[in-house]
Amino acid sequence: SQTIHQWPATLVQPVGSPLSLECTVEGTSNPNLYWYRQAAGRGLQLLFYSVGIGQISSEVPQNLSASRPQDRQFILSSKKLLLSDSGFYLCAWSPGLMREKLFFGSGTQLSVL
Amino acid sequence: AQTVTQSQPEMSVQEAETVTLSCTYDTSESDYYLFWYKQPPSRQMILVIRQEAYKQQNATENRFSVNFQKAAKSFSLKISDSQLGDAAMYFCAYRSARSGGSNYKLTFGKGTLLTVNP
């Protein structure tokens, strides 16, 4: 069966420090991969999605970037964190042929202080 | 651009009773998917139910069912025989049926926090 791993679960970082959140999917190949952010009291906002290795699409301009170095690995990064980057980050994947089904990781709570 | 609106920030229900959560959406497309996701205190997002717009029959999953009104662009979730474990934030979401580009993304509403009272 397919599983998605996301880490770390919690992260506290100072303003101006770098960020790297990692997500991996097991048990499938060529998934679509997504990074969503959930701000406090709000819904989910899509940040990035990827349909293949090295293919990244950004939904909103921001201080973050994403990379997909391997088929089942998706990384969210920042060179210098801002206070506004705080939030709950969720990685998700969908099967290549059934893209309407989206499965989420357990999330990372990022606090930028 | 598509938008999803959940007009009820919070709802409560007594255990074993029925509750309906509302969702409306705006789109110019004729084919799409609609979803309800549940986010319990663990914050794990769990797919509850899915509806394909081209299907007239309302989707059901055990105690969960939807009332899909395509003309009205309404997609409500009914939870029957509510249980304590149903307490969570519920998100309505929309996805285009088209392939390619940003059509892959889900557009979420802001959520409804459901409390189940014993």
Side-chain angles (χ1 to χ4, degrees):
Chain A
S1 63
Q2 301 88 3
T3 55
I4 178 170
H5 302 281
Q6 185 181 343
W7 68 93
T10 306
L11 191 59
V12 180
Q13 292 284 96
V15 170
S17 64
L19 172 73
S20 181
L21 302 182
E22 190 163 342
C23 173
T24 60
V25 181
E26 295 179 357
T28 188
S29 59
N30 196 32
N32 291 339
L33 297 171
Y34 310 81
W35 279 109
Y36 280 86
R37 178 169 60 198
Q38 184 178 25
R42 297 187 178 183
L44 279 74
Q45 180 186 39
L46 179 64
L47 302 176
F48 300 95
Y49 68 93
S50 171
V51 300
I53 295 175
Q55 300 178 59
I56 308 295
S57 297
S58 174
E59 281 292 298
V60 293
Q62 59 211 319
N63 185 43
L64 303 169
S65 63
S67 62
R68 184 170 178 174
Q70 299 179 38
D71 181 45
R72 291 169 290 174
Q73 184 184 29
F74 205 25
I75 298 172
L76 183 69
S77 304
S78 174
K79 291 182 180 178
K80 289 186 178 181
L81 284 169
L82 305 173
L83 288 174
S84 58
D85 292 325
S86 293
F88 189 61
Y89 289 83
L90 285 158
C91 181
W93 75 277
S94 63
L97 294 178
M98 295 181 68
R99 297 185 181 96
E100 70 277 10
K101 289 191 175 181
L102 196 65
F103 302 95
F104 287 86
S106 54
T108 296
Q109 179 63 53
L110 172 65
S111 299
V112 182
L113 306 177
Chain B
Q2 295 84 16
T3 58
V4 178
T5 303
Q6 293 179 251
S7 58
Q8 306 152 316
E10 296 183 23
M11 291 282 285
S12 64
V13 63
Q14 290 296 126
E15 196 176 2
E17 294 189 349
T18 297
V19 64
T20 299
L21 308 184
S22 301
C23 173
T24 58
Y25 57 95
D26 187 27
T27 184
S28 58
E29 297 179 333
S30 60
D31 199 11
Y32 46 86
Y33 303 96
L34 295 165
F35 307 84
W36 279 98
Y37 278 86
K38 168 185 176 180
Q39 188 179 41
S42 68
R43 305 194 77 174
Q44 176 79 46
M45 292 287 285
I46 302 165
L47 178 63
V48 175
I49 199 164
R50 176 183 66 142
Q51 176 79 42
E52 292 136 325
Y54 64 86
K55 289 187 177 179
Q56 292 185 339
Q57 186 174 7
N58 289 324
T60 62
E61 287 287 342
N62 301 314
R63 296 181 297 106
F64 299 88
S65 62
V66 298
N67 183 5
F68 173 48
Q69 302 289 328
K70 191 172 184 179
K73 296 180 183 175
S74 171
F75 182 61
S76 61
L77 175 69
K78 185 171 83 170
I79 306 175
S80 304
D81 186 24
S82 297
Q83 300 176 358
L84 295 177
D86 294 333
M89 182 74 86
Y90 286 81
F91 291 97
C92 179
Y94 170 101
R95 184 202 174 276
S96 171
R98 288 196 236 166
S99 297
S102 63
N103 293 317
Y104 294 135
K105 73 175 184 181
L106 287 184
T107 300
F108 287 84
K110 292 188 176 181
T112 297
L113 181 62
L114 177 67
T115 302
V116 181
N117 300 311

